[in-house]
Amino acid sequence: MTKLQNLRRDAGTFALLAALACGAQAATTLIYCSEGSPEGFDPARYTAGTTFDASSQPIFNRLVEFERGGTRIEPALAESWSVSADGLVYSFKLRKGVKFHSSDSFKPTRALGAEDVLFSFDRMISKENAFHKAAPVSYEYANDMGLPKNVARIEAVDPMTVRFTLKEVDAAFLANLAMDFASIQSAEYGAQLLKAGQAAELNNKPVGTGPFVFKRYEKDAQIRYTANADYWRGKAQIDNLVFAITKDSAVRMQKLKAGECQVSAYPKPTEVELLQKEPRLKVLSLEGLNVGYLTLNVKKPPLDKLEVRRAINLAIDRKSLVDAVYQGAGVMARNPLPPTMWSYNKNLPQWEHNPEQAKALLAKAGFPNGFETTLWALPVQRPYNPNGQQAAELIQSDLAKIGIKARIVKYEWAEYLKRGKAGESEIGMFGWTGDNGDPDNFLGNLLSCAAVGGSNYGQWCDKEFDALVTKGRRTIAVPERTKIYEQAQAVFRREAPWVPMAHARVFTPMSVRVEGYKMSPFGTTQFHGVSLK
């Protein structure tokens, strides 16, 4: 389908949205051109930013949260907390009077309490939980971080106080609770769904405490929300929030210029300069806490051979790739951590582009004539990769020069992630934006043994690396943790389970009418605190 056909296809939908934006509600209706459909609306089940933008950010809250536009942890549903001297017990005093949303199918009879926190976490970490049994899904983030193994118990000290007891110290535990997966659900709503045999509806008809109330979702078209009049931080200045799902970047930019949306996701680097010249638009930018990479699935021969993985790293011309795809808005990656992250190992060498050495390694591995494989191309734009198809074509060409015939495959985004988690990819294109400012969020979530079956798409489980990551998680002092994580990155470099590609700068274009918007260092999109003049 051409870009013009895309525009025509969406004409009916956006005629209504544009009318809202230009009519009596011009100051209170904001349309966001998002890049893709969410996987669902239960944040505990997913790790993708597209899903968090549509679910956890507008609809839910966490016990603690990161300040808007920053990395400082601040009180949220918990108004205060304390940590025991041994670092194993975390106690949270809940905020009084926080109301859950009402919907056509649920009317809450009480405010937030300890039982809601217990329900939200116990269903993730206990397979014996009744709701977990009724909706037996993978709670990927909780599993990747080892919460089921490390949380000894969660208990209600009183109706408004919750206590977490850990088996071992987790230096990132508080920051982890500020992440999207830790959103607090209504135990009352969960019980209603369980009684009706509809536990799966928690993922389709979300009820939270956040700034916006979910109203309607049309896959690949739009999501509609209204402001929560009872929001504990104060009602949002936007009465109606609309996510206009628009996968093509060029179409998003056309809609932005035409006033059919006021904020847009992820322009391509080549579009940024043109957008900056538009008098009715402005473009915010931020150094991204991210990494774009290729996973080399070690469970898929011949990628299980170290020589093959190293050969692929040597075959890819990273400089040309970054120059062509990121257009000056990215830098070459060498580590799984971005260079702005503390504990980044700057002493490790960059993989040089050396096709002849790559061929020699393939021959040593028993593949003098190369082999055939598949290369998964990222199907949506993400902060860490502005053009998955172009990147895949360049990588395909580089691999062909050493005899590796890579067939490019693509799937719809949710299917792409689902298949990736199931270990189906051979060479897979993925990426990550940090969620909490801690190195464990990259090293543990993406490369640990516990993350196999989750965000460890390459199925790589290295005992030495895993032991270092675990040790880092159990160590409080930052200088000691830094040394541990530097060692872990050295193991990663030696074993080559990825091809680190790039770290990207992130841009958010919007109408000059938008006020109060703050870009998050964690890549999330937030609309509470935003207004239209």
Side-chain angles (χ1 to χ4, degrees):
M1 186 175 288
T2 67
K3 292 173 184 175
L4 181 59
Q5 287 173 322
N6 275 326
L7 282 168
R8 289 172 175 166
R9 179 199 64 185
D10 293 337
T13 298
F14 286 98
L16 172 62
L17 303 183
L20 279 173
C22 296
Q25 297 187 32
T28 58
T29 298
L30 187 145
I31 303 169
Y32 171 57
C33 279
S34 65
E35 79 285 6
S37 294
E39 301 154 276
F41 291 91
D42 177 4
R45 296 175 55 174
Y46 306 109
T47 63
T50 303
T51 299
F52 291 155
D53 285 348
S55 61
S56 46
Q57 290 302 318
I59 301 169
F60 294 96
N61 291 115
R62 276 63 59 197
L63 289 173
V64 294
E65 294 180 358
F66 297 106
E67 64 177 336
R68 197 165 65 92
T71 60
R72 183 174 61 86
I73 295 172
E74 61 183 17
L77 295 184
E79 61 183 9
S80 63
W81 62 87
S82 62
V83 185
S84 63
D86 61 6
L88 294 176
V89 181
Y90 290 72
S91 300
F92 297 89
K93 191 70 176 178
L94 300 182
R95 191 177 299 275
K96 295 180 180 179
V98 175
K99 296 181 180 180
F100 282 98
H101 302 161
S102 292
S103 68
D104 293 339
S105 56
F106 174 69
K107 308 295 179 188
T109 63
R110 59 167 181 78
L112 171 80
E115 60 188 294
D116 301 305
V117 180
L118 266 61
F119 166 69
S120 299
F121 284 94
D122 192 61
R123 73 190 180 105
M124 283 191 268
I125 65 178
S126 173
K127 292 183 179 179
E128 299 306 312
N129 179 280
F131 200 92
H132 188 112
K133 288 183 176 180
V137 299
S138 173
Y139 294 101
E140 185 178 336
Y141 240 131
N143 293 333
D144 289 357
M145 292 187 294
L147 290 186
K149 293 181 179 179
N150 197 37
V151 175
R153 59 186 176 276
I154 310 172
E155 53 196 330
V157 178
D158 60 50
M160 296 301 289
T161 307
V162 178
R163 184 163 60 207
F164 291 74
T165 301
L166 308 182
K167 296 176 184 176
E168 297 185 74
V169 170
D170 183 346
F173 185 71
L174 190 64
N176 290 342
L177 294 187
M179 290 161 52
D180 296 76
F181 86 96
S183 296
I184 303 303
Q185 301 271 1
S186 164
E188 186 180 15
Y189 182 44
Q192 175 182 306
L193 292 175
L194 194 61
K195 184 177 180 180
Q198 299 176 336
E201 286 299 281
L202 194 76
N203 192 42
N204 301 317
K205 298 178 180 179
V207 169
T209 60
F212 294 96
V213 179
F214 173 83
K215 287 299 180 181
R216 187 169 73 251
Y217 169 49
E218 298 172 32
K219 184 175 173 60
D220 294 336
Q222 62 172 299
I223 315 169
R224 300 188 71 89
Y225 313 83
T226 58
N228 176 8
D230 297 317
Y231 189 43
W232 57 272
R233 281 190 173 117
K235 180 179 175 293
Q237 296 178 67
I238 301 165
D239 290 325
N240 301 292
L241 175 63
V242 181
F243 276 40
I245 300 166
T246 313
K247 296 180 180 180
D248 189 293
S249 172
V251 178
R252 288 199 300 272
M253 298 313 120
Q254 287 299 321
K255 289 176 180 176
L256 186 64
K257 291 180 197 178
E260 293 177 356
C261 56
Q262 287 74 51
V263 182
S264 178
Y266 315 127
K268 291 179 179 177
T270 52
E271 296 165 336
V272 171
E273 187 175 353
L274 296 175
L275 293 170
Q276 289 172 332
K277 295 178 181 178
E278 290 285 335
R280 292 183 297 174
L281 301 179
K282 58 184 175 181
V283 182
L284 305 187
S285 67
L286 190 69
E287 198 67 44
L289 193 69
N290 59 48
V291 60
Y293 58 90
L294 297 178
T295 55
L296 307 176
N297 193 331
V298 298
K299 297 293 179 66
K300 302 278 190 180
L303 300 173
D304 57 332
K305 292 182 177 292
L306 178 58
E307 293 90 350
V308 171
R309 299 197 299 273
R310 288 179 174 174
I312 291 173
N313 268 278
L314 290 166
I316 295 172
D317 185 349
R318 284 173 175 77
K319 185 179 185 307
S320 295
L321 173 69
V322 172
D323 287 347
V325 176
Y326 294 82
Q327 298 282 318
V331 296
M332 289 191 293
R334 70 179 73 188
N335 293 331
L337 296 180
T340 51
M341 174 72 74
W342 62 270
S343 82
Y344 176 84
N345 193 334
K346 62 181 181 297
N347 297 317
L348 294 176
Q350 177 63 269
W351 287 96
E352 62 177 312
H353 178 223
N354 193 328
E356 293 307 314
Q357 188 178 347
K359 289 179 184 178
L361 283 172
L362 283 184
K364 182 179 178 182
F367 299 92
N369 299 315
F371 56 89
E372 295 184 3
T373 187
T374 56
L375 169 60
W376 288 25
L378 199 69
V380 296
Q381 276 183 272
R382 299 298 302 137
Y384 45 76
N385 190 333
N387 195 328
Q389 181 64 32
Q390 183 187 16
E393 290 169 359
L394 291 169
I395 292 164
Q396 181 188 49
S397 175
D398 284 341
L399 293 178
K401 293 172 184 174
I402 65 167
I404 298 177
K405 300 178 181 64
R407 178 173 58 86
I408 296 175
V409 296
K410 291 178 74 171
Y411 298 100
E412 185 271 331
W413 184 222
E415 185 71 11
Y416 189 93
L417 293 172
K418 180 181 177 181
R419 287 174 177 267
K421 291 166 190 174
E424 292 184 23
S425 67
E426 291 181 293
I427 301 176
M429 189 179 296
F430 297 97
W432 191 258
T433 298
D435 289 314
N436 65 6
D438 194 281
D440 183 72
N441 185 244
F442 285 81
L443 302 179
N445 280 75
L446 304 180
L447 290 157
S448 70
C449 295
V452 172
S455 295
N456 187 341
Y457 300 105
Q459 312 286 298
W460 182 65
C461 176
D462 183 274
K463 291 183 179 180
E464 182 183 0
F465 179 90
D466 211 57
L468 287 166
V469 169
T470 301
K471 184 179 179 181
R473 191 178 293 157
R474 307 288 181 247
T475 304
I476 296 295
V478 171
E480 292 180 33
R481 291 187 80 200
T482 295
K483 291 178 182 177
I484 294 167
Y485 290 140
E486 286 176 345
Q487 293 174 45
Q489 290 167 76
V491 175
F492 167 88
R493 174 62 169 73
R494 184 189 73 210
E495 297 299 318
W498 285 6
V499 177
M501 296 195 306
H503 309 290
R505 189 167 185 83
V506 183
F507 300 90
T508 303
M510 63 191 68
S511 166
V512 294
R513 295 175 53 218
V514 177
E515 295 185 327
Y517 186 96
K518 293 185 178 181
M519 293 184 70
S520 166
F522 305 121
T524 53
T525 302
Q526 305 162 326
F527 289 106
H528 186 262
V530 177
S531 63
L532 287 174
K533 63 181 179 181

